[in-house]
Amino acid sequence: MKTEHIDRPAILAEMNAAFYRYEQALITNDTAVLDELFWHDPRTVRYGAGENLYGIDAIRAFRIARSSQGLDRELVNTTITTFGDDMAVASTEFRREGSDKIGRQQQTWVKMPSGWKIVAAHVSLMV
């Protein structure tokens, strides 16, 4: 891929908007928006600090069952990189309010006809 296809300003702006929309939905536990931003497919994966979720149905069930308490967090070292017009990777570290643990999050996003969707996500905590 030619470097001029990486981080095109308009595409990067779209992806930043999608990522921060996801982040807002995450800390407010807006399950409708979280569901909207994941690819509705059995091949979608989300590996978390304590769970391995395969498919949109498992991801939905996890989100619905998750407590809405203690979700506030501060992001640091966030990097979003777009490749062409329809693929992006978002990586960030985070710290939950009141915790010294640092978490890491990485998502692969693909732009589909219905908008940017997460097709794979990984969340881990540093011990």
Side-chain angles (χ1 to χ4, degrees), residues 35-48:
D35 184 68
E36 173 192 331
L37 292 174
F38 272 84
W39 183 32
H40 292 188
D41 193 272
R43 293 169 287 185
T44 304
V45 295
R46 181 191 179 279
Y47 299 125

Side-chain angles (χ1 to χ4, degrees), residues 7 12 21 34 37 39 60 69 76 94 107 118 122:
D7 288 341
L12 188 56
R21 183 170 179 238
L34 293 170
L37 292 174
W39 183 32
R60 280 182 184 135
Q69 302 301 309
V76 292
F94 62 88
Q107 303 161 332
I118 299 167
H122 183 259

Side-chain angles (χ1 to χ4, degrees), residues 22-38:
Y22 171 85
E23 182 62 22
Q24 183 62 34
L26 184 67
I27 64 173
T28 61
N29 204 33
D30 187 337
T31 56
V33 171
L34 293 170
D35 184 68
E36 173 192 331
L37 292 174
F38 272 84

Side-chain angles (χ1 to χ4, degrees), residues 5 13-14 20 31 47 66 85 107-109:
H5 297 290
E14 284 179 15
Y20 287 105
T31 56
Y47 299 125
R66 187 172 191 200
D85 293 338
Q107 303 161 332
T108 303
W109 292 73

Side-chain angles (χ1 to χ4, degrees), residues 93-106:
E93 295 175 358
F94 62 88
R95 183 170 285 128
R96 296 239 181 253
E97 190 174 298
S99 174
D100 290 337
K101 291 183 181 178
I102 295 174
R104 291 187 175 153
Q105 171 182 307
Q106 188 166 49

